[in-house]
Amino acid sequence: MDYNFNNDNRDDFTLKREAMVDKFREKNDLETRAQESLKANKAFMKLRIRICFLFILGGLALFILGAVQVGLLIKAKHDCTVLVKGRVDSFDVSTSMSDEDSSPSYAPVFSYEYNGEELFYEGDTYSDKGRLYVGQEVDVYVDPDKPDHVYVPAYKAKKSAPIVFIIIGLLLSVGPVVYSINDYRSVERYWENEKSKAL
């Protein structure tokens, strides 16, 4: 009876020891895999940083372009103080050469009279026609020092395009960076949780 009792004790001890050895090996394997994964994640992060740098440059270019256009609009609104009546004379049409099914874009051409002379202002921002139509009367604010420099409040696309550039520029500059950092941290948190489970 004593022999069986001692043998049972040795069997329990052996099982516990083997379980501890297995757990130790599992922990070491987990730490090794975690280190390899984090190392690969860091290498991939460096690649992402290079790609993000290109996005940041493109985003900054769009942001600066939008900011400059906003500044020019503010300056035009400040300088153009003489109100005259004008009208939508025509539309310049632009179509995409790469996509035949795409809808054309339009830039309005405004005509107005200043000091007895008929002048034209050709819009440089293409979009849909919006609420503008040929023959429509519009308010035109003229710069008295430069009669060909005008501000047309009804030309909504001229005001909305810079805002779109600024928003897209911010998204391109900040979005990829924030996403990459969050993804890198999520991998670290995953392996920390896995190691805590193995303890």
Side-chain angles (χ1 to χ4, degrees), residues 1-14:
M1 294 292 293
D2 292 338
Y3 174 79
N4 290 335
F5 178 77
N6 292 333
N7 189 50
D8 290 342
N9 284 343
R10 281 199 302 271
D11 289 342
D12 290 342
F13 177 77
T14 302

PDB file of all heavy atoms in Angstrom, residues 1-14:
ATOM      1  N   MET A   1       0.835  -1.209   0.000  1.00  0.00           N
ATOM      2  CA  MET A   1       0.000   0.000   0.000  1.00  0.00           C
ATOM      3  C   MET A   1       0.861   1.247   0.000  1.00  0.00           C
ATOM      4  O   MET A   1       0.613   2.199  -0.715  1.00  0.00           O
ATOM      5  CB  MET A   1      -0.951  -0.005   1.207  1.00  0.00           C
ATOM      6  CG  MET A   1      -1.992  -1.102   1.151  1.00  0.00           C
ATOM      7  SD  MET A   1      -3.196  -0.820  -0.178  1.00  0.00           S
ATOM      8  CE  MET A   1      -3.984   0.630   0.445  1.00  0.00           C
ATOM      9  N   ASP A   2       1.927   1.251   0.844  1.00  0.00           N
ATOM     10  CA  ASP A   2       2.803   2.418   0.902  1.00  0.00           C
ATOM     11  C   ASP A   2       3.489   2.645  -0.440  1.00  0.00           C
ATOM     12  O   ASP A   2       3.690   3.772  -0.873  1.00  0.00           O
ATOM     13  CB  ASP A   2       3.847   2.221   1.994  1.00  0.00           C
ATOM     14  CG  ASP A   2       3.202   2.231   3.377  1.00  0.00           C
ATOM     15  OD1 ASP A   2       2.080   2.793   3.475  1.00  0.00           O
ATOM     16  OD2 ASP A   2       3.804   1.699   4.300  1.00  0.00           O
ATOM     17  N   TYR A   3       3.899   1.561  -1.066  1.00  0.00           N
ATOM     18  CA  TYR A   3       4.599   1.675  -2.345  1.00  0.00           C
ATOM     19  C   TYR A   3       3.720   2.324  -3.402  1.00  0.00           C
ATOM     20  O   TYR A   3       4.149   3.184  -4.151  1.00  0.00           O
ATOM     21  CB  TYR A   3       5.043   0.287  -2.814  1.00  0.00           C
ATOM     22  CG  TYR A   3       5.660   0.307  -4.200  1.00  0.00           C
ATOM     23  CD1 TYR A   3       6.973   0.728  -4.395  1.00  0.00           C
ATOM     24  CD2 TYR A   3       4.889  -0.089  -5.304  1.00  0.00           C
ATOM     25  CE1 TYR A   3       7.523   0.758  -5.639  1.00  0.00           C
ATOM     26  CE2 TYR A   3       5.456  -0.058  -6.568  1.00  0.00           C
ATOM     27  CZ  TYR A   3       6.757   0.356  -6.737  1.00  0.00           C
ATOM     28  OH  TYR A   3       7.301   0.379  -7.985  1.00  0.00           O
ATOM     29  N   ASN A   4       2.437   1.888  -3.450  1.00  0.00           N
ATOM     30  CA  ASN A   4       1.499   2.466  -4.418  1.00  0.00           C
ATOM     31  C   ASN A   4       1.270   3.938  -4.144  1.00  0.00           C
ATOM     32  O   ASN A   4       1.164   4.757  -5.057  1.00  0.00           O
ATOM     33  CB  ASN A   4       0.174   1.710  -4.387  1.00  0.00           C
ATOM     34  CG  ASN A   4       0.314   0.292  -4.968  1.00  0.00           C
ATOM     35  OD1 ASN A   4       1.223   0.065  -5.773  1.00  0.00           O
ATOM     36  ND2 ASN A   4      -0.530  -0.628  -4.535  1.00  0.00           N
ATOM     37  N   PHE A   5       1.225   4.294  -2.822  1.00  0.00           N
ATOM     38  CA  PHE A   5       0.998   5.685  -2.444  1.00  0.00           C
ATOM     39  C   PHE A   5       2.171   6.551  -2.894  1.00  0.00           C
ATOM     40  O   PHE A   5       2.007   7.613  -3.481  1.00  0.00           O
ATOM     41  CB  PHE A   5       0.792   5.771  -0.926  1.00  0.00           C
ATOM     42  CG  PHE A   5       0.607   7.188  -0.441  1.00  0.00           C
ATOM     43  CD1 PHE A   5      -0.596   7.840  -0.625  1.00  0.00           C
ATOM     44  CD2 PHE A   5       1.655   7.867   0.186  1.00  0.00           C
ATOM     45  CE1 PHE A   5      -0.764   9.130  -0.180  1.00  0.00           C
ATOM     46  CE2 PHE A   5       1.484   9.152   0.626  1.00  0.00           C
ATOM     47  CZ  PHE A   5       0.265   9.793   0.448  1.00  0.00           C
ATOM     48  N   ASN A   6       3.376   6.034  -2.627  1.00  0.00           N
ATOM     49  CA  ASN A   6       4.566   6.789  -3.035  1.00  0.00           C
ATOM     50  C   ASN A   6       4.674   6.876  -4.551  1.00  0.00           C
ATOM     51  O   ASN A   6       5.089   7.880  -5.110  1.00  0.00           O
ATOM     52  CB  ASN A   6       5.823   6.130  -2.474  1.00  0.00           C
ATOM     53  CG  ASN A   6       5.890   6.260  -0.950  1.00  0.00           C
ATOM     54  OD1 ASN A   6       5.320   7.210  -0.404  1.00  0.00           O
ATOM     55  ND2 ASN A   6       6.573   5.329  -0.294  1.00  0.00           N
ATOM     56  N   ASN A   7       4.310   5.799  -5.229  1.00  0.00           N
ATOM     57  CA  ASN A   7       4.349   5.795  -6.703  1.00  0.00           C
ATOM     58  C   ASN A   7       3.355   6.790  -7.277  1.00  0.00           C
ATOM     59  O   ASN A   7       3.641   7.483  -8.250  1.00  0.00           O
ATOM     60  CB  ASN A   7       4.048   4.383  -7.203  1.00  0.00           C
ATOM     61  CG  ASN A   7       4.297   4.267  -8.710  1.00  0.00           C
ATOM     62  OD1 ASN A   7       5.359   4.661  -9.184  1.00  0.00           O
ATOM     63  ND2 ASN A   7       3.323   3.754  -9.438  1.00  0.00           N
ATOM     64  N   ASP A   8       2.165   6.845  -6.627  1.00  0.00           N
ATOM     65  CA  ASP A   8       1.160   7.827  -7.079  1.00  0.00           C
ATOM     66  C   ASP A   8       1.676   9.241  -6.876  1.00  0.00           C
ATOM     67  O   ASP A   8       1.477  10.126  -7.722  1.00  0.00           O
ATOM     68  CB  ASP A   8      -0.150   7.627  -6.312  1.00  0.00           C
ATOM     69  CG  ASP A   8      -0.850   6.330  -6.718  1.00  0.00           C
ATOM     70  OD1 ASP A   8      -0.492   5.806  -7.799  1.00  0.00           O
ATOM     71  OD2 ASP A   8      -1.718   5.861  -5.961  1.00  0.00           O
ATOM     72  N   ASN A   9       2.376   9.452  -5.725  1.00  0.00           N
ATOM     73  CA  ASN A   9       2.937  10.772  -5.467  1.00  0.00           C
ATOM     74  C   ASN A   9       3.984  11.141  -6.515  1.00  0.00           C
ATOM     75  O   ASN A   9       4.049  12.277  -6.979  1.00  0.00           O
ATOM     76  CB  ASN A   9       3.566  10.828  -4.073  1.00  0.00           C
ATOM     77  CG  ASN A   9       2.484  10.928  -2.995  1.00  0.00           C
ATOM     78  OD1 ASN A   9       1.347  11.256  -3.305  1.00  0.00           O
ATOM     79  ND2 ASN A   9       2.857  10.650  -1.750  1.00  0.00           N
ATOM     80  N   ARG A  10       4.833  10.150  -6.859  1.00  0.00           N
ATOM     81  CA  ARG A  10       5.857  10.415  -7.867  1.00  0.00           C
ATOM     82  C   ARG A  10       5.216  10.707  -9.222  1.00  0.00           C
ATOM     83  O   ARG A  10       5.675  11.556  -9.961  1.00  0.00           O
ATOM     84  CB  ARG A  10       6.797   9.205  -7.978  1.00  0.00           C
ATOM     85  CG  ARG A  10       7.836   9.154  -6.857  1.00  0.00           C
ATOM     86  CD  ARG A  10       8.993   8.254  -7.261  1.00  0.00           C
ATOM     87  NE  ARG A  10       8.546   6.911  -7.561  1.00  0.00           N
ATOM     88  CZ  ARG A  10       8.449   5.963  -6.622  1.00  0.00           C
ATOM     89  NH1 ARG A  10       8.751   6.232  -5.366  1.00  0.00           N
ATOM     90  NH2 ARG A  10       8.050   4.751  -6.935  1.00  0.00           N
ATOM     91  N   ASP A  11       4.139   9.989  -9.528  1.00  0.00           N
ATOM     92  CA  ASP A  11       3.453  10.251 -10.795  1.00  0.00           C
ATOM     93  C   ASP A  11       2.876  11.653 -10.825  1.00  0.00           C
ATOM     94  O   ASP A  11       2.962  12.363 -11.839  1.00  0.00           O
ATOM     95  CB  ASP A  11       2.337   9.221 -11.011  1.00  0.00           C
ATOM     96  CG  ASP A  11       2.899   7.842 -11.331  1.00  0.00           C
ATOM     97  OD1 ASP A  11       4.095   7.793 -11.716  1.00  0.00           O
ATOM     98  OD2 ASP A  11       2.161   6.859 -11.183  1.00  0.00           O
ATOM     99  N   ASP A  12       2.284  12.083  -9.711  1.00  0.00           N
ATOM    100  CA  ASP A  12       1.735  13.450  -9.648  1.00  0.00           C
ATOM    101  C   ASP A  12       2.841  14.478  -9.800  1.00  0.00           C
ATOM    102  O   ASP A  12       2.697  15.478 -10.504  1.00  0.00           O
ATOM    103  CB  ASP A  12       1.015  13.671  -8.302  1.00  0.00           C
ATOM    104  CG  ASP A  12      -0.281  12.865  -8.212  1.00  0.00           C
ATOM    105  OD1 ASP A  12      -0.767  12.446  -9.292  1.00  0.00           O
ATOM    106  OD2 ASP A  12      -0.785  12.664  -7.096  1.00  0.00           O
ATOM    107  N   PHE A  13       3.974  14.214  -9.118  1.00  0.00           N
ATOM    108  CA  PHE A  13       5.103  15.140  -9.205  1.00  0.00           C
ATOM    109  C   PHE A  13       5.640  15.213 -10.642  1.00  0.00           C
ATOM    110  O   PHE A  13       5.961  16.287 -11.142  1.00  0.00           O
ATOM    111  CB  PHE A  13       6.204  14.686  -8.241  1.00  0.00           C
ATOM    112  CG  PHE A  13       7.435  15.542  -8.328  1.00  0.00           C
ATOM    113  CD1 PHE A  13       7.465  16.795  -7.743  1.00  0.00           C
ATOM    114  CD2 PHE A  13       8.565  15.074  -9.014  1.00  0.00           C
ATOM    115  CE1 PHE A  13       8.608  17.571  -7.836  1.00  0.00           C
ATOM    116  CE2 PHE A  13       9.695  15.857  -9.108  1.00  0.00           C
ATOM    117  CZ  PHE A  13       9.725  17.114  -8.511  1.00  0.00           C
ATOM    118  N   THR A  14       5.714  14.032 -11.268  1.00  0.00           N
ATOM    119  CA  THR A  14       6.199  13.993 -12.654  1.00  0.00           C
ATOM    120  C   THR A  14       5.279  14.763 -13.588  1.00  0.00           C
ATOM    121  O   THR A  14       5.732  15.522 -14.458  1.00  0.00           O
ATOM    122  CB  THR A  14       6.316  12.534 -13.139  1.00  0.00           C
ATOM    123  OG1 THR A  14       7.207  11.831 -12.273  1.00  0.00           O
ATOM    124  CG2 THR A  14       6.850  12.474 -14.567  1.00  0.00           C
TER     125      THR A  14
END
